[in-house]
């Protein structure tokens, strides 16, 4: 029986952060088939802001509702200069204007002013003052509620405060505020003038917090209210319906979500025409969902329509058209049309660059270059892919300096590329550089450094430097055991790598088999007994059982291995087609992680 190929060139999974790579997703280190190159992506971090959607409670704007009203991922920016007392309490919502003849209009105006003031403080970096302002208003409304006032106005104020806390990333406060709002509105009739908007905001916040079981009923209640008030084809239904579709998509109810997206599209076509820009959000949501469900032709049609809408509105050389083309390229790639996808990506990147729609160092732009590089490597055009990866490295170096930890992503990607082309000497240099940067930034015991360590161990193995490779792999294993536990998936990966190195160093076959059986148990628990990872490890276990003469054990596992190999034979030939990430239109579409 021929020995399995334990250590091919290292493969890199597309992770959004280096730390996330320790979860290992659904891939393992050592493969028997020819590896494909999968690259790291840099996480996109939206600017901290509250949406510019206005609180027009009586007439909720469907156009504004197509924006995301809060960002759940915040950059921490420096606080602005406070007033002499630490916080200037400009006013609370209970300081009503005495000269107003319309109490409701005055109340709405004050809600708008609070919302705008919080938004301004956040966008200018004065997050501490924004929190102080929110807290002052919370104390005021809490006092009113303790005195027995628990009506729609109190709920509306709590809603604005919750939106503000959401924007600054105070999620614990958001949850408690949402609970308080629920207690108030559960007893209110559906004919309250502000209730529909509050429900829509609550649904979005619950969804952003991942609490889908709470998001769905509030969006459904908002939809019922608006349907009764405006009819089943009104554009004001778009916002809560999109909220419902998002929840259904996230909870595995794809068929129902597709129906909701189609309903939203029909409503917008009826009210705003078939070429309105408002269609972009539901079309993108639909296309992304259809790709996940393997219905690539439907997804492709959605992205073609987005591209056509932007082309008609802004011209074929607009940056939004370029981003729509990237989503279309993703669909082409998932369909298996790799060369067509590459051409689309290249043209899209050129349009975005020429139109100055994005800065060259924008994280989304960087992710697009990495996606294209990954695809180029997958079809055997590694040199072109490396040029893009080197461009990413140079841009980041210029912006952040040569020792910034964000460079590690690009060093690792380039090392993987050079390894795939068998240039292990260059790969070793890049991996050592990335490891030094990470050690300086995170310390020598941080588990995140074990990722480049293991890839360096693999590279040293290919360079026949087995002793150093073993030493580094053992060190990585020790760090991971301490951080994650001896039966964790990261430990299983490190063991898998170590077995391959020690095999060539002549370690005992019985000991190596024991280690592989540990890896197999970990993978079966984490990935399932029918997974591709289990198949790869089974191949190694069978190999050692054969060498040790354990024919009975080998026979039982060999049957299982043959069945799994048949299952994955066709899948291995497709490989790259479903791994690229979607791209979205800046300012209009939500980024899907």
């Amino acid at each position: 029986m021929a020995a399995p190929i334990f250590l091919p060139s290292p493969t890199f999974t597309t992770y959004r952060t280096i730390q996330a790579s320790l979860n290992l997703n659904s891939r393992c280190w050592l493969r028997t088939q020819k590896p494909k190159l999968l690259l790291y992506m840099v996480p996109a971090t939206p600017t901290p802001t509250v949406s510019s959607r206005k609180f027009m409670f009586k007439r909720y704007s469907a156009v504004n509702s197509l924006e995301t009203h809060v960002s759940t991922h915040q950059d921490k920016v420096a606080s602005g200069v406070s007033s002499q007392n630490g916080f200037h309490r400009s006013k609370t919502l209970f300081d009503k204007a005495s000269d107003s003849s319309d109490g409701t209009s005055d109340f709405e105006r004050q809600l708008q002013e609070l919302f705008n003031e919080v938004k301004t403080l956040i966008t200018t970096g004065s997050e501490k003052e924004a929190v102080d302002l929110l807290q002052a208003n919370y104390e005021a409304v809490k006092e009113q509620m303790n005195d027995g006032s628990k009506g729609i106005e109190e709920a509306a104020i709590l809603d604005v405060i919750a939106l503000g806390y959401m924007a600054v990333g105070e999620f614990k406060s958001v949850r408690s505020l949402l609970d308080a709002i629920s207690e108030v509105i559960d007893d209110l009739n559906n004919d309250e003038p502000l209730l529909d908007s509050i429900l829509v905001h609550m649904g979005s916040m619950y969804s952003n917090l991942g609490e889908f079981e709470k998001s769905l009923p509030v969006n459904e209640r908002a939809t019922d209210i608006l349907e009764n008030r405006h009819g089943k084809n009104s554009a004001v239904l778009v916002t809560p319906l999109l909220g419902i579709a998002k929840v259904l998509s996230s909870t595995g109810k794809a068929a129902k979500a597709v129906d909701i997206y189609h309903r939203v599209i029909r409503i917008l076509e009826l009210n705003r025409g078939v070429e309105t820009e408002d269609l972009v959000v539901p079309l993108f949501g639909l296309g992304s969902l259809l790709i996940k469900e393997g219905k690539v032709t439907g997804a492709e049609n959605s992205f073609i329509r987005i591209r056509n809408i932007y082309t008609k509105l802004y011209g074929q050389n607009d940056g939004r058209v370029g981003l729509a083309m990237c989503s279309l390229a993703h669909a082409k790639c998932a369909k298996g049309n790799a060369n067509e996808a590459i051409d689309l990506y290249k043209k899209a990147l050129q349009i975005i660059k020429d139109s100055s729609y994005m800065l060259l160092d924008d994280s989304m732009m960087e992710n697009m270059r990495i996606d294209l590089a990954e695809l180029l490597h997958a079809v055997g055009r590694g040199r072109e892919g490396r040029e893009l990866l080197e461009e990413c490295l140079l841009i980041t170096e210029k912006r952040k300096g040569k020792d910034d930890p964000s460079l590690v992503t690009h060093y690792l990607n380039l090392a993987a590329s050079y390894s795939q082309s068998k240039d292990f000497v260059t790969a070793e240099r890049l991996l050592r550089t990335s490891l030094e940067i990470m050690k300086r930034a995170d310390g020598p015991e941080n588990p995140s450094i074990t990722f480049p360590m293991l890839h360096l161990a693999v590279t040293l193995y290919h360079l026949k430097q087995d002793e150093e490779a073993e030493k580094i792999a053992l060190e990585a294993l020790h760090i991971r055991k301490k951080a994650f536990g001896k039966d964790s998936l990261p430990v299983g990966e490190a063991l898998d790598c170590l077995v391959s190195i020690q095999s060539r160093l002549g370690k005992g076959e019985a000991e190596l088999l024991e280690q592989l059986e540990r890896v197999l148990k970990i993978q079966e628990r984490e990935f399932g007994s029918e997974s591709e990872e289990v198949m790869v490890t089974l191949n190694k276990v069978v190999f050692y059982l054969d060498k040790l003469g354990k024919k009975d054990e080998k026979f039982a596992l060999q049957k299982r291995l043959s069945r799994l190999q048949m299952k994955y034979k066709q899948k291995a030939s497709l490989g790259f087609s479903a791994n690229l990430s979607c791209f979205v239109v800046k300012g209009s579409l939500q980024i899907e992680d």
Side-chain angles (χ1 to χ4, degrees):
M1 179 178 180
I5 302 172
F6 281 173
L7 278 166
S9 301
T11 60
F12 282 55
T13 301
T14 303
Y15 297 116
R16 294 288 165 184
T17 63
I18 296 299
Q19 288 77 8
S21 69
L22 296 178
N23 295 326
L24 309 182
N25 274 356
S26 60
R27 303 188 186 280
C28 75
W29 266 78
L30 310 174
R31 297 181 180 275
T32 56
Q33 70 267 25
K34 183 178 179 180
K36 54 183 175 288
L37 188 77
L38 298 172
L39 303 174
Y40 291 96
M41 312 299 279
V42 176
T45 308
T47 303
T49 180
V50 182
S51 163
S52 59
R53 185 197 308 126
K54 294 186 177 181
F55 278 79
M56 299 304 293
F57 287 108
K58 288 186 177 179
R59 299 180 62 190
Y60 197 81
S61 168
V63 175
N64 287 330
S65 71
L66 293 175
E67 300 175 359
T68 306
H69 64 76
V70 291
S71 172
T72 57
H73 304 287
Q74 300 299 320
D75 280 332
K76 295 300 178 184
V77 292
S79 176
V81 179
S82 300
S83 65
Q84 186 175 2
N85 295 325
F87 161 59
H88 176 64
R89 179 172 174 169
S90 58
K91 58 177 168 289
T92 71
L93 294 177
F94 292 97
D95 299 327
K96 303 247 183 153
S98 60
D99 58 349
S100 173
S101 60
D102 183 344
T104 301
S105 295
D106 184 55
F107 177 66
E108 291 179 20
R109 177 183 59 78
Q110 292 186 71
L111 283 177
Q112 181 67 58
E113 288 175 358
L114 173 62
F115 180 75
N116 288 340
E117 188 166 352
V118 171
K119 180 180 67 175
T120 299
L121 288 170
I122 293 172
T123 54
T124 57
S126 302
E127 287 192 8
K128 183 179 183 301
E129 290 190 21
V131 171
D132 288 340
L133 179 59
L134 293 167
Q135 184 63 29
N137 279 280
Y138 174 71
E139 294 297 333
V141 72
K142 183 179 177 183
E143 184 178 339
Q144 290 289 107
M145 293 175 71
N146 289 338
D147 289 340
S149 272
K150 291 187 178 180
I152 194 65
E153 289 194 356
E154 285 71 30
I157 298 165
L158 290 172
D159 178 39
V160 175
I161 296 169
L163 289 170
Y165 278 119
M166 192 80 188
V168 297
E170 295 278 353
F171 302 134
K172 184 177 180 181
S173 298
V174 174
R175 288 185 173 92
S176 62
L177 284 163
L178 288 171
D179 289 341
I181 298 169
S182 294
E183 289 181 14
V184 175
I185 65 172
D186 284 349
D187 296 327
L188 297 178
N189 295 325
N190 283 352
D191 57 0
E192 291 283 356
L194 312 177
L195 184 57
D196 56 324
S197 295
I198 295 171
L199 288 166
V200 169
H201 300 154
M202 290 178 69
S204 180
M205 284 186 277
Y206 275 132
S207 183
N208 286 328
L209 293 171
E211 298 184 13
F212 299 116
E213 73 284 352
K214 294 181 179 179
S215 176
L216 187 59
V218 293
N219 274 311
E220 288 176 336
R221 186 179 177 187
T223 302
D224 290 340
I225 292 171
L226 293 169
E227 278 184 345
N228 291 330
R229 190 179 300 162
H230 302 285
K232 292 183 178 291
N233 292 316
S234 172
V236 298
L237 295 171
V238 167
T239 303
L241 285 174
L242 285 174
I244 292 171
K246 180 180 178 181
V247 171
L248 293 172
S249 299
S250 301
T251 53
K253 298 174 182 176
K256 291 183 179 179
V258 167
D259 290 341
I260 296 293
Y261 278 124
H262 280 304
R263 182 183 174 188
V264 171
I265 290 167
R266 287 194 300 270
I267 288 172
L268 287 171
E269 287 174 340
L270 181 65
N271 286 274
R272 309 199 186 281
V274 296
E275 294 177 333
T276 174
E277 189 172 353
D278 296 347
L279 285 165
V280 168
V281 168
L283 283 170
F284 179 79
L286 177 62
S288 300
L289 181 57
L290 289 174
I291 281 187
K292 291 178 184 177
E293 293 299 303
K295 300 177 180 178
V296 184
T297 299
E300 185 179 11
N301 292 336
S302 292
F303 296 136
I304 287 172
R305 193 169 176 189
I306 292 173
R307 182 195 61 185
N308 292 343
I309 288 171
Y310 278 128
T311 299
K312 181 161 186 179
L313 291 174
Y314 302 106
Q316 62 182 2
N317 295 319
D318 186 81
R320 281 160 286 208
V321 174
L323 289 174
M325 289 170 65
C326 286
S327 289
L328 179 57
H330 174 61
K332 297 284 188 185
C333 188
K335 202 172 182 179
N337 299 333
N339 289 325
E340 193 174 353
I342 288 171
D343 291 342
L344 272 170
Y345 270 125
K346 285 187 171 183
K347 186 175 181 181
L349 284 168
Q350 195 61 49
I351 288 173
I352 296 168
K353 183 178 179 180
D354 291 345
S355 65
S356 300
Y357 186 70
M358 283 183 185
L359 296 175
L360 287 177
D361 60 3
D362 186 279
S363 59
M364 193 184 298
M365 189 80 166
E366 188 168 80
N367 284 347
M368 283 185 275
R369 286 193 292 268
I370 293 173
D371 258 1
L372 176 55
E374 179 180 337
L375 183 53
L376 287 164
H377 280 88
V379 298
R381 294 161 65 175
R383 183 184 57 79
E384 294 176 67
R386 270 195 300 281
E387 289 175 359
L388 285 167
L389 297 177
E390 287 167 353
E391 183 182 351
C392 289
L393 177 64
L394 290 172
I395 290 171
T396 304
E397 260 188 4
K398 184 176 180 180
R399 179 165 60 101
K400 295 186 175 181
K402 293 189 175 183
D403 294 320
D404 191 87
S406 61
L407 291 171
V408 170
T409 293
H410 308 305
Y411 280 122
L412 291 175
N413 286 338
L414 277 168
S417 175
Y418 280 109
S419 291
Q420 183 168 300
S421 64
K422 308 301 182 184
D423 185 352
F424 297 111
V425 172
T426 303
E428 178 195 4
R429 176 178 57 80
L430 292 166
L431 287 166
R432 289 191 189 278
T433 301
S434 69
L435 188 56
E436 286 302 312
I437 292 173
M438 290 191 76
K439 282 182 177 179
R440 285 196 296 269
D442 300 323
E445 293 293 318
N446 191 296
S448 63
I449 72 168
T450 62
F451 196 76
M453 286 175 73
L454 286 177
H455 279 284
L456 178 57
V458 172
T459 302
L460 290 170
Y461 174 93
H462 284 292
L463 291 170
K464 303 295 191 295
Q465 299 177 32
D466 298 337
E467 288 77 12
E468 186 181 3
E470 182 188 30
K471 179 182 176 182
I472 291 172
L474 283 168
E475 185 181 353
L477 177 63
H478 170 74
I479 294 171
R480 288 190 174 189
K481 276 184 179 179
K482 186 177 178 181
F484 304 110
K486 64 179 183 178
D487 295 320
S488 65
L489 193 56
V491 166
E493 183 197 38
L495 277 172
D496 200 13
C497 178
L498 183 62
V499 165
S500 297
I501 296 168
Q502 290 181 336
S503 175
R504 198 164 70 185
L505 284 169
K507 293 296 171 76
E509 291 166 352
E511 181 184 348
L512 295 174
L513 176 60
E514 183 182 347
Q515 299 282 57
L516 284 171
E517 287 174 340
R518 280 185 62 194
V519 173
L520 185 62
K521 286 180 181 179
I522 292 171
Q523 291 176 337
E524 286 175 332
R525 185 186 69 241
E526 295 292 336
F527 301 130
S529 60
E530 298 288 306
S531 67
E532 188 176 3
E533 290 74 23
V534 165
M535 178 190 70
V536 173
T537 304
L538 267 177
N539 188 43
K540 303 172 190 178
V541 171
V542 167
F543 170 76
Y544 279 111
L545 288 172
D546 182 70
K547 290 200 74 174
L548 291 168
K550 299 184 177 183
K551 294 184 178 180
D552 291 340
E553 295 179 50
K554 173 197 166 185
F555 179 73
L557 290 181
Q558 182 68 62
K559 289 175 63 178
R560 181 182 171 193
L561 175 62
S562 298
R563 180 169 49 81
L564 286 176
Q565 286 173 333
M566 184 65 67
K567 176 181 176 180
Y568 286 101
K569 184 177 181 181
Q570 197 170 24
K571 184 178 177 182
S573 65
L574 298 175
F576 64 87
S577 64
N579 286 300
L580 297 181
S581 46
C582 284
F583 290 107
V584 293
V585 178
K586 185 179 178 183
S588 297
L589 304 182
Q590 262 194 302
I591 296 173
E592 295 292 334
D593 286 345

